[in-house]
Amino acid sequence: MASLSIITAPDPRLKVKSELVETVDGATRELMDGMLETMYRAPGIGLSAVQVGVPKCVITIDISRDDEPNQPLYLVNPRIVRFSEEIALYNEGCLSLPEQFADIERPEGITVEHLDYHGEPQSLEADGLLSRCIQHEMDHLTGVLFVDHLSSVKRGMILRKLSKARRQEEIA
Ligand code: NI
């Protein structure tokens, strides 16, 4: 697959609601391979297909540290079936919002059901960074960015910064 490029905000393509994958077939796996490669290259720990312009419910994640072997995780059609009551605060970033970070509150733990790389159903219990990453990536599937959890003032500041950075890139 040709290398994929990551869409940066603000962009209407990031607001599109992703569709469920009917069958995890060769084309889906090719998409996942391309996404993983793109995510590693960025580098990032999570990517949703909509961020590369494919509005399908497909997510790649790898939260392994640099000194650990890669541990790619593929989530197709993920569905959260349990949220913990405990809420955690975590400083989030996003490949579609380069160099922007903000503290976001979310449930600490989740259980997520999904299909894996081979289309097999899986159930995954996650907390900490993995839970955070899955929740963040799943937001993308409904067109939600982490800045959408902030006040409109803070969100506006970040999006204006990104628009300005992009204009400067276009001029340069
Ligand atoms: Ni993101």
Side-chain angles (χ1 to χ4, degrees), residues 13 18 36 52 58 70 81 96-97 140-141 148 165 167-168 170:
R13 289 173 292 173
S18 293
L36 194 75
V52 293
V58 176
N70 288 342
V81 295
S96 292
L97 298 139
H140 280 294
L141 306 182
D148 294 319
R167 277 199 306 276
Q168 282 169 344
E170 281 164 6

Side-chain angles (χ1 to χ4, degrees), residues 161-172:
K161 253 192 255 173
L162 288 167
S163 296
K164 196 175 159 197
R166 187 150 66 193
R167 277 199 306 276
Q168 282 169 344
E169 253 173 44
E170 281 164 6
I171 294 165

Side-chain angles (χ1 to χ4, degrees), residues 17-22 24 28 31-32 35 48-50 54-60 74-79 114-115 137-138 140-142:
K17 198 171 178 301
S18 293
E19 288 180 2
L20 291 173
V21 173
E22 279 183 30
V24 180
T28 315
L31 171 65
M32 291 191 272
M35 284 171 60
S48 295
V50 69
V54 182
K56 289 190 177 169
C57 294
V58 176
I59 289 169
T60 55
Y74 307 91
L75 306 179
V76 178
N77 299 347
R79 195 166 62 95
H114 67 94
L115 302 178
E137 296 311 325
M138 284 185 66
H140 280 294
L141 306 182
T142 52

